[in-house]
Amino acid sequence: AATFVWKTLLNPEFGAINTWGTTLLGWDEPVAFLTSGENAGVLPVSTAMLTVVAFEAWRSFPFAFLFLTARMEAIPAVLDEAAEVDGASPLQRFWHIVLPQLLPTIGVLTVLRFIWTFNDFDAIYLLTGGGSGTQVVAVRVYDFLISRGNIGTAAAQALVLAVILAVLVTVYLKLFGRSEEAA
């Protein structure tokens, strides 16, 4: 449903974003956000890829916000009060108290989003069909499997993707996982 709404809003012919852009912002012509493979200015990615990134950020923001707010609520108030009594500025309190408390949660969110983004198929396929510079690994595997009928290549790419993700999760667990103490 969300991808349908975004596709409708960003449609170059009748989308609300292009209507607002041409009437209110003075764009010369509508922008093909989801089909433009052109470079979006200074960045070396297409407009379609930037749109997909914006969609993914919009879609995952509530999840990250929920986790970070829950962790911030769990920070003991005595730590902040003690730092305030000791004369720490708000920036120092954030840097030395809040941020270290949030880092494990940020690490988990980063790993989860990385895995989900690596395996993201539905949003990219529904928004752009994998065209205009948005063919990520999951869409490429689908293309080889369904469109080209090349099962071997699709399986090999999926296996490489799984190995990369397993290595990254292992590295994360080694760096941030809690070690069990021997009893």
Side-chain angles (χ1 to χ4, degrees):
T3 54
F4 175 75
V5 170
W6 272 63
K7 276 185 88 161
T8 304
L9 285 172
L10 297 171
N11 188 297
E13 294 176 34
F14 56 84
I17 303 298
N18 277 304
T19 302
W20 293 334
T22 53
T23 57
L24 300 175
L25 301 175
W27 296 352
D28 294 333
E29 58 186 41
V31 177
F33 287 103
L34 298 173
T35 57
S36 176
E38 298 174 8
N39 188 319
V42 181
L43 300 173
V45 294
S46 67
T47 306
M49 182 59 88
L50 289 176
T51 305
V52 169
V53 168
F55 174 79
E56 284 298 322
W58 170 81
R59 191 169 78 161
S60 63
F61 175 77
F63 180 75
F65 183 79
L66 179 68
F67 268 65
L68 292 173
T69 335
R71 182 62 192 120
M72 286 179 68
E73 289 292 324
I75 296 173
V78 264
L79 294 175
D80 192 48
E81 291 169 5
E84 191 173 357
V85 167
D86 288 343
S89 70
L91 181 62
Q92 289 172 325
R93 290 194 322 250
F94 173 77
W95 191 257
H96 296 290
I97 294 172
V98 176
L99 189 60
Q101 296 285 327
L102 290 178
L103 282 177
T105 306
I106 292 171
V108 168
L109 288 171
T110 302
V111 168
L112 286 175
R113 281 306 308 159
F114 187 80
I115 291 170
W116 293 340
T117 301
F118 235 88
N119 291 320
D120 194 18
F121 170 79
D122 58 341
I124 294 171
Y125 191 76
L126 291 173
L127 283 172
T128 66
S132 305
T134 61
Q135 190 179 42
V136 295
V137 178
V139 174
R140 187 174 171 87
V141 168
Y142 175 83
D143 181 47
F144 273 109
L145 182 64
I146 303 300
S147 301
R148 300 179 189 186
N150 192 340
I151 297 170
T153 304
Q157 288 184 353
L159 185 61
V160 168
L161 175 63
V163 168
I164 290 170
L165 291 175
V167 167
L168 291 174
V169 168
T170 303
V171 168
Y172 169 78
L173 290 175
K174 293 288 184 192
L175 292 175
F176 296 107
R178 297 178 191 242
S179 60
E180 295 183 23
E181 296 181 21

